[in-house]
Amino acid sequence: MHKPSFSALSHLAAAAVLAIATGSAWADEATGQFTGVGYGMPESATPLTGNNTAPANWRVTQGMLFNGVNFDGNVRIDFDFDGNVIGGFTCSGTLIAGGTHVLTAAHCASGVNAMEIHHGVYGGVSTGVQSINTASNVFVHPGWTGALSTGADIAIIRLSTPITGVTSFNLSTTNDVGKQFLMMGHGTTQVGNVNSATNWNDFGWAHYGYNVFDATGTSFLNAASAMGLPGLGTWSSTFGEEYIADYDGLSNGTGTSTDPAVRHNTLGRIVGLTSNQGLGANEALIAGGDSGGGDFVWSGSEWVLSGVHSWGWQFCGGRLTTPNSCDFGTANSSSWGDISGSTAVFSHVGWINQVTGVPEPGTWAMMGLGLAAVAGAARRRKA
Ligand SMILES: [Ca+2]
Ligand SMILES: [Ca+2]
Ligand SMILES: [Ca+2]
């Protein structure tokens, strides 16, 4: 079903301050300004996490708990594609249950030959840092070809040393469309109604925010296609689903097409999709450097890892423009009206469990029988 061309979507991996990516240029068609790692736009164009007030208000600070849970397991991934010098690029990732593996995006791990995992990062100080042997401990989804939106933008990193003493996260096994989620990442930042590029001015801190999964990649593309919206590209869900979310604006109470809650409700302006107008001051969108980071859904007793940040898209340009464009500003790739895509974890639970060595339920049952048999044998021997 879906897969916008590379010219439309933008990786959310981000180059750190000094690195310059080279290669064939591509960028968001509306502005030409979103950076894709290794694909050639200057880092000065890199956007960041968009929130509704100053990024400092959205820091994940040391000791901060969300429903009683710490997010030290929201890791920063520093990496590079050439040579062995760390620090050219930054992504995010999540420590998954067991504490021995991190889940991230394929475009944060494929072709990477130098990598460090930082956990518990506060004010630029990491609680723990470890280097990864990328030749043997990086597992990119076998369907990944470099194309965004085939549902394969996901990768697993096996840690050199298990991370203990912090919360690690179970995987969501359900389709979570319609649910509110908590997003985490170490990427760039900006305020959503400021028409300036996201930046690294608050680097050293992770940031958080909230949104709602409005649609799957399939339902989004089907609805946009039915409206005849141009430039949607070719998509495919061959390897799994994605979750799409929009960055809703704060209402000014007028209820008109100039009301941000209406105007920037991008997915609500697509016929057939949810008209959800967002979470008010808590609403946010991912940005460059947040790639690979997690979207978490509260199950009632725990935060489960539901999505892995993949891309951002200034979708409005040339599509939803009447009477007003849904994009607050084209200089800010994480502004009100922009949209994001995350790889849906439920599509990949089997593959993740296979790579990390978590047995399937049937295997558990067999192991249980085996253990019982061994125990029985031991008892007999003893007797
Ligand atoms: Ca939204
Ligand atoms: Ca919306
Ligand atoms: Ca924008």
Side-chain angles (χ1 to χ4, degrees):
M1 30 139 224
H2 56 109
K3 184 224 154 219
S5 62
F6 257 138
S7 64
L9 297 187
S10 303
H11 283 138
L12 285 171
V17 186
L18 296 177
I20 301 296
T22 56
S24 58
W26 66 276
D28 184 278
E29 60 211 293
T31 65
Q33 70 109 20
F34 211 116
T35 296
V37 163
Y39 294 90
M41 297 302 290
E43 278 71 46
S44 58
T46 302
L48 321 196
T49 305
N51 292 102
N52 279 327
T53 63
N57 297 334
W58 297 88
R59 289 173 177 168
V60 181
T61 56
Q62 191 152 20
M64 182 180 279
L65 301 177
F66 297 78
N67 291 359
V69 177
N70 78 74
F71 276 80
D72 287 9
N74 162 39
V75 304
R76 195 181 79 209
I77 304 174
D78 294 348
F79 64 99
D80 215 330
F81 296 97
D82 50 9
N84 295 312
V85 179
I86 294 291
F89 299 89
T90 289
C91 271
S92 304
T94 302
L95 184 67
I96 56 177
T100 56
H101 292 80
V102 162
L103 204 58
T104 188
H107 76 264
C108 296
S110 180
V112 168
N113 61 7
M115 179 184 284
E116 283 178 357
I117 303 292
H118 295 244
H119 76 272
V121 182
Y122 301 102
V125 179
S126 305
T127 302
V129 186
Q130 59 180 280
S131 297
I132 301 298
N133 179 340
T134 58
S136 56
N137 290 324
V138 168
F139 305 89
V140 175
H141 191 282
W144 175 250
T145 61
L148 295 169
S149 285
T150 61
D153 191 10
I154 190 166
I156 300 164
I157 299 162
R158 183 163 60 204
L159 296 170
S160 310
T161 306
I163 297 174
T164 57
V166 308
T167 301
S168 55
F169 296 90
N170 285 311
L171 309 175
S172 171
T173 57
T174 58
N175 184 329
D176 293 323
V177 163
K179 295 180 183 174
Q180 180 179 325
F181 64 91
L182 166 64
M183 70 189 79
M184 287 277 169
H186 291 268
T188 53
T189 50
Q190 189 51 276
V191 181
N193 61 344
V194 171
N195 189 25
S196 300
T198 58
N199 60 60
W200 289 112
N201 293 350
D202 212 34
F203 185 70
W205 298 92
H207 296 84
Y208 69 96
Y210 301 89
N211 211 313
V212 171
F213 293 132
D214 291 301
T216 61
T218 304
S219 57
F220 163 67
L221 261 293
N222 287 347
S225 298
M227 282 181 70
L229 299 181
L232 300 177
T234 305
W235 290 54
S236 157
S237 62
T238 303
F239 302 109
E241 266 300 354
E242 292 179 60
Y243 296 127
I244 318 296
D246 62 3
Y247 191 176
D248 290 279
L250 294 170
S251 175
N252 63 11
T254 66
T256 70
S257 62
T258 60
D259 183 340
V262 177
R263 178 178 173 182
H264 305 301
N265 181 9
T266 301
L267 297 177
R269 289 173 62 169
I270 298 177
V271 176
L273 298 184
T274 174
S275 58
N276 182 287
Q277 291 187 352
L279 303 168
N282 286 331
E283 182 93 348
L285 200 77
I286 55 173
D290 290 327
S291 270
D295 296 325
F296 302 86
V297 169
W298 182 249
S299 74
S301 57
E302 64 176 324
W303 292 103
V304 291
L305 179 58
S306 176
V308 175
H309 306 148
S310 179
W311 50 262
W313 194 359
Q314 304 213 79
F315 175 76
C316 301
R319 298 189 185 87
L320 297 169
T321 56
T322 304
N324 298 294
S325 172
C326 44
D327 190 355
F328 181 88
T330 56
N332 181 349
S333 293
S334 294
S335 69
W336 289 354
D338 294 327
I339 66 174
S340 67
S342 291
T343 304
V345 168
F346 82 92
S347 293
H348 299 289
V349 169
W351 174 70
I352 295 166
N353 287 345
Q354 181 190 344
V355 170
T356 59
V358 175
E360 297 293 316
T363 313
W364 276 120
M366 290 183 66
M367 283 182 64
L369 288 173
L371 289 171
V374 170
R379 195 173 298 128
R380 268 202 305 278
R381 200 168 294 131
K382 209 170 185 178

